[in-house]
Amino acid sequence: AELRKASKRLTCHKRYKIQKKIREHHRKVRKEAKKRGRKKPKKDPGVPSAAPFKEELLREAEQRKQRLEELKQKQKLNRQKEHEKKRKLEAKKNAAKIKEKAEGKESSGKSKAKTNKLLDKKSKKSFCRELKKVIEASDVVLEVLDARDPMGCRCPQLEQAVTCSGGDKKLLLVLNKIDLVPKENLEKWLNYLKKEFPTVAFKSATLMKDRTMEQFTKRRARVDLSRTTECFGSKCLLKLLQDHGKIQNKAIQVGVVGFPNVGKSSIINSLKGVRACNVGLARGVTKSMQIVHIDKQTKMLDSPSIIADPSNSALALALRSIIDTEESGSADVLEGADAILKHCSKQQVMMHYSIPDFRNTEEFLTLLAQKRGMLKKGGVPDIENIAKLLLCDWTGAKISYHSQPPGSQRPPPYLTEDKIAEMRECFNLKNLEEENNNTVQALKYPGPASSIIFQSAGMANGIIEEHKVIEVASEWENLEMSKEGEEEEEEDFTGSDDDQDDIEKEDVKEVNQVSSTLALALVSVTHDFLFSESEQSNLLSFSLDKTAEEYDAYDFNTDYV
């Protein structure tokens, strides 16, 4: 039951006390004002009625007042023009940035772009180097697949490298996140994959206990972490690896490889029972090889993610590439979101997100941003950030979706019958099938209606060799030209700002001069009227000549904007 809000009503005693205090305060203020004495503001005496040329002076004052209004209007129009220039310049810059990102350029300056590109290239090469180390050092390689799209998580280059390496190197498939797909779909995939490689059904623990976790549970005893810390399939996998070690009669090293966000580090943490490796929603958390000792006979080697080949489809790049959602361009993110929505059931997406019918991806993202309150200044939907959130949802363990296995079993060309038989050696497949069945029966699964139907794009090509990392062509000249163009625009803009400042200063000076001359004229006229009639005619001729020129220059029928 929802708790009611506390009442704002006060007790009578408290209310009367407050009223009494207010009355006392008002009394005190009145008393102080009485002591101080009220000073009434002095009224403007204006032009005396007995002063000569009163009408001319009033007319002159009115004219100067109108001139002041004109100056104010001019300043207002200049400010509006300045704002328009700023808006246009910002729009040009944004358009240039989007265009550069779409063409694979970086919009930052030359030095920043150089460092970013070098870092990007180095990081990709280092990922490939570390992955190669793991594959070479491993006796058994675990290829981790997301149960929602197992075919999309398979890398033919990796499988070929392991199967054709020679020696006793084995490849196992680990089907992770099995709690996010319907039970029937999981069984179909297990039956399909076991015909090519030994496959283990696995559900890793998503929240491991460490020191911080213990403190957290002590402070908040009501939080139930049984479901999140529970792991399924770990005993089966450990037994399989230990039996293989006994047959080989040596301590074995097990490499864990796969695309980003499939749960490589989570599997190692689940087997170890504590948080040994860093995990997170961001892609590419693991940067280098990490060794974790499970027992005396088994070492686990955690590896960086496989680099997705740029030649892959937009869907494969959206789900399998290492995208930094904080720094990735809006064009890449929107393209990824569009590819995901095109490959799943529209009705189920509408049901899952509780969103009305939409015509395209942009409209969907707009509706989702409005629903979740992701708005920019002025209530404009933040499409870029909501697209990033959508990608995180689909690669993380938040959304339940499933893909169907291919209708016919067609193994890849590198996987011959001899290779399949070689990979199955030293493993007790009957025992593995029984353990998988036990794991499948122990879990709870989403219903087929609540899980979104997804069309897989097939196997995703990856880059394993360091020398195959595509080096992005440097375009420093174009970047320099664009930078110079931006600087010139900024200089023009600053120049216009300086001009504007000069105009405003001149306007202010003119206003001050007008007000001072008006005051002097009033003082001189009143003085002459009261004291010297002889000098009045000279002043009169001077003032009349001056006003006549102004009357010719000024049109009273002018309409002001």
Side-chain angles (χ1 to χ4, degrees):
E2 292 183 4
L3 293 171
R4 288 184 180 179
K5 288 183 180 178
S7 174
K8 292 182 181 179
R9 289 189 296 179
L10 302 170
T11 58
C12 291
H13 173 71
K14 200 169 186 180
R15 192 165 66 247
Y16 296 149
K17 196 175 180 182
I18 290 164
Q19 288 172 1
K20 188 181 176 184
K21 289 277 183 187
I22 291 164
R23 283 197 300 274
E24 284 175 3
H25 173 73
H26 288 326
R27 199 179 296 120
K28 189 179 177 183
V29 168
R30 282 197 302 273
K31 200 173 181 182
E32 285 175 1
K34 200 173 181 181
K35 280 181 183 176
R36 200 166 49 245
R38 291 185 183 179
K39 291 181 181 179
K40 290 182 181 179
K42 289 182 179 179
K43 288 182 180 179
D44 182 20
V47 182
S49 57
F53 321 113
K54 180 184 174 182
E55 288 179 6
E56 283 82 356
L57 286 171
L58 288 173
R59 198 166 184 180
E60 194 178 337
E62 185 66 32
Q63 190 180 348
R64 286 188 178 121
K65 191 178 177 183
Q66 285 175 351
R67 199 175 290 161
L68 281 172
E69 284 178 6
E70 263 188 2
L71 287 171
K72 282 181 184 176
Q73 289 295 333
K74 196 190 285 184
Q75 286 173 3
K76 193 176 179 181
L77 287 168
N78 287 331
R79 279 197 298 272
Q80 284 175 357
K81 282 179 186 176
E82 186 186 325
H83 286 308
E84 279 177 15
K85 276 186 184 176
K86 276 186 183 177
R87 281 197 210 100
K88 281 178 184 176
L89 193 62
E90 281 175 9
K92 275 185 185 177
K93 283 182 182 177
N94 291 335
K97 279 181 185 178
I98 290 163
K99 195 176 178 182
E100 282 176 4
K101 284 175 184 176
E103 291 172 3
K105 295 178 185 177
E106 289 177 352
S107 60
S108 56
K110 184 179 175 181
S111 58
K112 197 176 178 182
K114 257 187 185 176
T115 52
N116 283 352
K117 284 195 177 183
L118 287 169
L119 280 170
D120 184 45
K121 195 170 75 178
K122 280 180 185 175
S123 63
K124 282 186 178 179
K125 285 194 172 184
S126 69
F127 272 36
C128 292
R129 202 182 305 124
E130 294 294 317
L131 184 63
K132 197 75 178 169
K133 272 190 205 173
V134 170
I135 293 167
E136 285 171 1
S138 303
D139 300 305
V140 179
V141 177
L142 302 182
E143 188 180 10
V144 185
L145 312 177
D146 191 329
R148 297 173 291 183
D149 182 20
M151 196 56 78
C153 296
R154 286 182 69 178
C155 178
Q157 288 78 15
L158 171 75
E159 291 176 6
Q160 191 172 2
V162 175
T163 52
C164 303
S165 61
D168 295 327
K169 209 180 287 290
K170 305 291 179 189
L171 182 68
L172 282 176
L173 299 180
V174 180
L175 203 60
N176 194 19
K177 303 183 185 181
I178 57 172
D179 59 321
L180 296 174
V181 294
K183 189 178 178 182
E184 299 80 10
N185 184 257
L186 174 62
E187 287 168 350
K188 282 180 188 176
W189 272 112
L190 286 170
N191 291 330
Y192 178 84
L193 294 169
K194 74 180 182 183
K195 290 173 185 174
E196 295 181 12
F197 293 103
T199 308
V200 181
F202 201 92
K203 191 263 171 187
S204 56
T206 53
L207 194 63
M208 295 308 302
K209 289 179 182 176
D210 57 4
R211 289 176 186 176
T212 55
M213 195 67 244
E214 283 166 15
Q215 291 171 7
F216 177 74
T217 48
K218 280 175 189 174
R219 277 182 290 178
R220 298 188 185 178
R222 289 186 185 179
V223 179
D224 180 24
L225 300 168
S226 59
R227 189 165 178 239
T228 50
T229 53
E230 208 169 354
C231 169
F232 295 90
S234 57
K235 288 179 183 177
C236 168
L237 185 58
L238 269 176
K239 194 178 178 185
L240 204 67
L241 297 172
Q242 285 166 355
D243 290 347
H244 181 69
K246 283 174 186 175
I247 292 165
Q248 296 292 322
N249 197 19
K250 64 170 186 177
I252 59 165
Q253 292 188 334
V254 183
V256 184
V257 297
F259 282 104
N261 277 111
V262 290
K264 300 181 291 296
S265 302
S266 298
I267 286 171
I268 295 171
N269 290 342
S270 301
L271 294 173
K272 181 73 176 171
V274 291
R275 188 171 175 172
C277 304
N278 284 332
V279 291
L281 283 172
R283 305 185 191 188
V285 173
T286 308
K287 307 287 183 190
S288 59
M289 184 174 78
Q290 189 177 349
I291 301 168
V292 178
H293 293 264
I294 302 297
D295 53 35
K296 288 180 181 179
Q297 298 297 315
T298 315
K299 280 182 192 174
M300 302 296 288
L301 308 179
D302 193 10
S303 70
S305 305
I306 300 168
I307 303 293
D309 198 310
S311 62
N312 283 315
S313 64
L315 178 68
L317 290 172
L319 294 174
R320 307 290 160 233
S321 62
I322 301 170
I323 298 172
D324 185 1
T325 52
E326 296 298 321
E327 294 178 5
S328 58
S330 59
D332 299 334
V333 174
L334 292 172
E335 193 180 344
D338 185 43
I340 288 168
L341 291 172
K342 279 179 182 175
H343 284 78
C344 56
S345 170
K346 185 180 177 181
Q347 296 296 328
Q348 286 183 316
V349 168
M350 285 161 59
M351 289 285 286
H352 178 81
Y353 287 104
S354 305
I355 277 174
D357 191 15
F358 55 92
R359 286 167 293 181
N360 50 32
T361 308
E362 195 175 346
E363 190 177 348
F364 168 78
L365 294 171
T366 303
L367 291 167
L368 188 61
Q370 286 171 349
K371 188 175 184 295
R372 295 200 176 174
M374 291 187 76
L375 305 171
K376 291 180 184 176
K377 195 173 181 181
V380 179
D382 194 351
I383 290 172
E384 191 176 336
N385 280 330
I386 202 73
K388 288 175 184 177
L389 193 69
L390 186 81
L391 286 181
C392 287
D393 286 355
W394 279 75
T395 50
K398 202 165 188 179
I399 292 176
S400 170
Y401 62 90
H402 65 279
S403 58
Q404 295 297 331
S408 58
Q409 190 88 23
R410 288 182 185 176
Y414 57 82
L415 203 61
T416 59
E417 289 182 6
D418 296 337
K419 291 287 179 188
I420 293 169
E422 191 185 325
M423 290 297 122
R424 287 178 178 178
E425 280 177 13
C426 308
F427 292 118
N428 189 347
L429 297 177
K430 283 185 180 178
N431 196 4
L432 173 62
E433 195 170 345
E434 285 175 11
E435 290 290 340
N436 277 342
N437 287 333
N438 292 338
T439 305
V440 169
Q441 296 301 325
L443 266 169
K444 285 182 180 179
Y445 301 93
S450 61
S451 181
I452 298 167
I453 298 166
F454 180 77
Q455 293 174 1
S456 178
M459 285 190 181
N461 294 318
I463 301 170
I464 294 172
E465 300 292 335
E466 188 181 338
H467 62 85
K468 287 183 182 177
V469 174
I470 295 169
E471 295 183 6
V472 182
S474 61
E475 297 177 356
W476 306 125
E477 291 178 7
N478 296 340
L479 279 168
E480 267 187 66
M481 291 293 287
S482 64
K483 187 76 178 171
E484 283 172 12
E486 281 179 11
E487 282 173 3
E488 282 173 8
E489 281 182 358
E490 282 174 8
E491 281 172 11
D492 294 341
F493 182 66
T494 50
S496 66
D497 285 347
D498 296 337
D499 296 340
Q500 187 64 32
D501 292 338
D502 295 337
I503 290 162
E504 283 179 5
K505 283 175 185 176
E506 286 173 9
D507 292 343
V508 169
K509 283 179 185 177
E510 194 176 340
V511 169
N512 292 336
Q513 285 172 4
V514 166
S515 57
S516 61
T517 51
L518 177 62
L520 284 167
L522 284 169
V523 169
S524 61
V525 167
T526 49
H527 180 270
D528 293 339
F529 173 72
L530 294 170
F531 298 103
S532 63
E533 290 179 3
S534 61
E535 293 176 5
Q536 268 183 7
S537 59
N538 297 330
L539 181 65
L540 173 62
S541 61
F542 171 73
S543 63
L544 278 172
D545 292 340
K546 188 178 177 183
T547 51
E549 286 172 8
E550 286 173 357
Y551 295 156
D552 295 337
Y554 185 77
D555 183 11
F556 284 98
N557 298 321
T558 306
D559 293 323
Y560 295 99
V561 179

